[in-house]
Amino acid sequence: MAVNQPSALTREEALKIVDELVRTPNIKKHLLAVEAFMRRLARHFGQDEDEWGLTGLLHDADYEVPEKDLDRHTEITAERLRQYVGTERIISAILAHNHKAPMDTTMAKALYACDNLTGLIVACALVHPDKKLEPLTVDFVLRRFKEKSFARGASREEILTCEPNLGIPLPEFIGLGLEAMKGIAADLEL
Ligand SMILES: [Fe+2]
């Protein structure tokens, strides 16, 4: 009798986890943005778009759960994901973005670099006269990137790891992020 056979993680299952743990619409949008960016980066590297997308979609799923113990962030998601088969790399990358595992795969390095850029791009859209992603150019984002006082929460240092860790120059990295996020502009309501 087969009882509780571990199953593979599908996007539907991942969305169930997200909807169960995430309370704030902006965090869900952030997860969707990083999912799209990760899928684009997987394509860039000829890697598994589904696996990279799931990593992006779930990376901050538990962000609001450990109210009193932020240190538990990513560990709660990791526990949930251990119930599925074949999620080791995803778990490791998610833990690594919160400095809880070594950043030893390209997927983990991609997550670390793209996470903060999505926030910077959202901030750029919001200050653009149209308040939309569509008119944003690489130059526009690059100029805001260089303004230290703009969207301070978006760590330039982490974004810039795209160059040494992924071998992607910053302008190209911004272009990939813009392309990915424009592709889901409706979901992001931007
Ligand atoms: Fe994030």
Side-chain angles (χ1 to χ4, degrees):
M1 195 164 62
V3 182
N4 285 337
Q5 284 284 351
S7 56
L9 180 65
T10 60
R11 185 171 191 268
E12 263 174 300
E13 289 285 323
L15 277 173
K16 267 190 224 161
I17 296 171
V18 167
D19 287 332
E20 191 186 311
L21 299 179
V22 172
R23 292 161 205 160
T24 309
N26 276 348
I27 292 200
K28 183 160 181 189
K29 286 182 194 167
H30 170 64
L31 295 176
L32 293 171
V34 176
E35 177 191 30
F37 199 171
M38 284 294 281
R39 291 188 70 90
R40 182 65 191 87
L41 289 168
R43 189 142 50 91
H44 174 85
F45 287 109
Q47 298 287 318
D48 184 340
E49 285 185 43
D50 291 335
E51 185 184 42
W52 286 45
L54 287 170
T55 302
L57 180 60
L58 288 159
H59 81 283
D60 277 342
D62 68 7
Y63 195 74
E64 295 171 286
V65 180
E67 283 164 352
K68 295 195 180 67
D69 186 8
L70 246 190
D71 203 45
R72 292 264 296 140
H73 167 44
T74 66
E75 286 178 6
I76 294 158
T77 307
E79 277 163 27
R80 294 292 299 270
L81 296 183
R82 284 190 192 103
Q83 297 162 21
Y84 299 87
V85 287
T87 49
E88 296 80 7
R89 284 162 43 86
I90 294 174
I91 292 168
S92 178
I94 289 174
L95 289 172
H97 106 281
N98 198 29
H99 310 279
K100 288 178 176 287
M103 217 167 25
D104 54 5
T105 61
T106 308
M107 185 168 79
K109 290 170 187 167
L111 176 63
Y112 190 77
C114 82
D115 190 4
N116 280 269
L117 182 52
T118 62
L120 185 78
I121 289 175
V122 168
C124 286
L126 294 176
V127 298
H128 196 280
D130 295 341
K131 297 214 180 330
K132 294 274 178 212
L133 287 165
E134 196 46 46
L136 293 186
T137 60
V138 170
D139 276 352
F140 186 92
V141 178
L142 208 47
R143 281 198 300 276
R144 301 287 97 75
F145 181 96
K146 289 172 184 162
E147 278 173 31
K148 286 200 176 78
S149 60
F150 180 82
R152 280 174 187 279
S155 163
R156 307 321 200 245
E157 201 183 318
E158 288 186 21
I159 296 168
L160 266 175
T161 62
C162 67
E163 297 193 337
N165 287 357
L166 302 174
I168 304 177
L170 180 63
E172 190 186 336
F173 195 57
I174 290 172
L176 292 169
L178 279 175
E179 185 193 321
M181 288 174 66
K182 286 178 186 183
I184 58 154
D187 292 333
L188 301 178
E189 296 181 282
L190 283 173

